[in-house]
Amino acid sequence: MRIRFTKMQGAGNDFVVLDETRGLLGLSPGQYRFLADRHFGVGADQILSVRTASDPGVDFQYVIHNADGGEVEQCGNGARCFMRFVREQGLTDKDVVRVQTLAGLIAPRMNADGRVTVDMGPPIFEPARVPFDDAGLDAQPTGGWQTWHLALSTEAESPIVPLAVLSMGNPHAVQLVPDVDGAPVATQGPLIERHPRFPQRVNAGFMQVQSRGQVKLRVFERGAGETLACGTGACAAVVAGIRLGLLDARVDVHTRGGVLTIEWAGEQGDLGAPVFMTGPAVTVFSGEIDVPDEG
Ligand SMILES: N[C@H](CCC[C@H](N)C(=O)O)C(=O)O
């Protein structure tokens, strides 16, 4: 099957974007994996599908697949690229669009400076909704909130890691590190991602707090490995930092691929306040590719 695609990136988190507004391609997990493959396909962290929405008042549907072919609920950097794509492709002339995702409605806005701000909706803290299996565990009071001290393997000398656990529609486990560049992302990332207490796996964040308004972040993403940036990961890390009493309401998140600005009013106690993420969205190139039928 020959398909057209657009390659995009948001702070170095890269995507293959497919316009399915005129008909669904019906791709299999294997075909998504092929498109994401950096040697045999196009290469991307996620595949984003742009589809029409059925509900009145909703402009588009946004479907996300990780590089491993699995469909997921949300992708923040992808939401910014989604906004740039629908404008550049002439699918809308609106400055703000309402987009239906598996995680619920989001509202990306194209700013005059070319950056995109997305209302990512409110964070979710209930363990069962992350989902996180907290059976038999005691949350450890940490700052103004809590962390969960998880052994990363059954071996005797396994590290015990204090994790802040929450969801942005997709699951996140965030830990504080003194130096993000020296953090054990490659070793602990996969162990956290597939930890048995996360029944749908989890994105593993490593956050270095530099001040109440500046952090550095690396994320080992569920289904993609370490990416240069993770938008929902940046949202989750800042919300966790605010709840732990370490951050103010507006934070610049320095990732390996660029800077994202996250704002959350939850510090004033409104835990249901939406999280706003602002950052870049870049079109790299468009092309066509033959996708093998078996995928
Ligand atoms: N790996 C994530 C999906 C992509 C999220 C990330 N690329 C972002 O910008 O939010 C997950 O499995 O939940």
Side-chain angles (χ1 to χ4, degrees):
M1 174 199 311
R2 189 157 184 82
I3 65 169
R4 282 198 57 75
F5 67 88
T6 297
K7 183 76 192 302
M8 302 186 78
Q9 59 88 6
N13 188 194
D14 65 340
F15 310 104
V16 165
V17 186
L18 305 174
D19 180 353
E20 294 189 89
T21 57
R22 299 172 184 83
L24 302 185
L25 293 170
L27 299 178
S28 68
Q31 290 171 315
Y32 285 118
R33 281 193 293 273
F34 169 82
L35 286 170
D37 190 295
R38 297 191 184 282
H39 301 285
F40 297 100
V42 179
D45 295 322
Q46 281 87 31
I47 314 295
L48 312 180
S49 297
V50 180
R51 299 180 182 173
T52 55
S54 50
D55 297 347
V58 177
D59 298 292
F60 295 101
Q61 187 188 8
Y62 168 34
V63 176
I64 304 133
H65 289 83
N66 277 325
D68 70 359
E71 183 176 357
V72 290
E73 310 88 345
Q74 193 54 271
C75 177
N77 289 319
R80 301 196 312 275
C81 290
F82 186 105
M83 183 72 214
R84 175 165 299 285
F85 181 82
V86 295
R87 287 279 294 250
E88 287 183 348
Q89 297 294 320
L91 296 174
T92 185
D93 58 5
K94 294 181 177 178
D95 288 333
V96 181
V97 291
R98 289 169 58 80
V99 185
Q100 184 65 48
T101 72
L102 270 183
L105 277 177
I106 58 171
R109 181 184 71 230
M110 180 62 75
N111 299 326
D113 67 1
R115 298 202 311 163
V116 181
T117 295
V118 188
D119 172 347
M120 293 295 293
I124 296 162
F125 300 107
E126 300 88 308
R129 294 180 60 205
V130 172
F132 171 60
D133 173 12
D134 64 340
L137 287 182
D138 291 325
Q140 302 301 317
T142 311
W145 188 29
Q146 66 187 13
T147 52
W148 303 87
H149 294 198
L150 291 191
L152 296 191
S153 73
T154 53
E155 289 156 30
E157 71 286 352
S158 165
I160 306 285
V161 177
L163 296 169
V165 176
L166 67 165
S167 170
M168 285 302 303
N170 61 342
H172 291 271
V174 184
Q175 64 178 286
L176 298 172
V177 293
D179 167 24
V180 75
D181 295 319
V185 177
T187 52
Q188 291 191 5
L191 294 174
I192 298 169
E193 181 205 9
R194 294 180 176 278
H195 194 285
R197 288 207 174 257
F198 293 98
Q200 293 179 9
R201 295 183 291 160
V202 70
N203 299 283
F206 300 78
M207 174 166 67
Q208 175 184 345
V209 176
Q210 297 176 295
S211 71
R212 295 188 63 84
Q214 305 285 329
V215 303
K216 294 174 77 174
L217 179 70
R218 291 172 67 186
V219 181
F220 188 94
E221 285 198 31
R222 176 179 62 171
E226 181 175 6
T227 56
L228 292 182
C230 178
T232 52
C235 295
V238 168
V239 167
I242 289 171
R243 289 208 69 186
L244 294 172
L246 303 171
L247 299 176
D248 291 337
R250 176 190 169 94
V251 178
D252 287 335
V253 179
H254 298 267
T255 76
R256 290 189 154 182
V259 181
L260 303 177
T261 300
I262 308 297
E263 297 170 274
W264 184 55
E267 59 154 357
Q268 287 104 27
D270 175 11
L271 298 185
V275 184
F276 291 90
M277 168 194 61
T278 299
V282 177
T283 299
V284 183
F285 66 91
S286 290
E288 293 186 2
I289 186 168
D290 288 320
V291 178
D293 290 338
E294 69 284 354

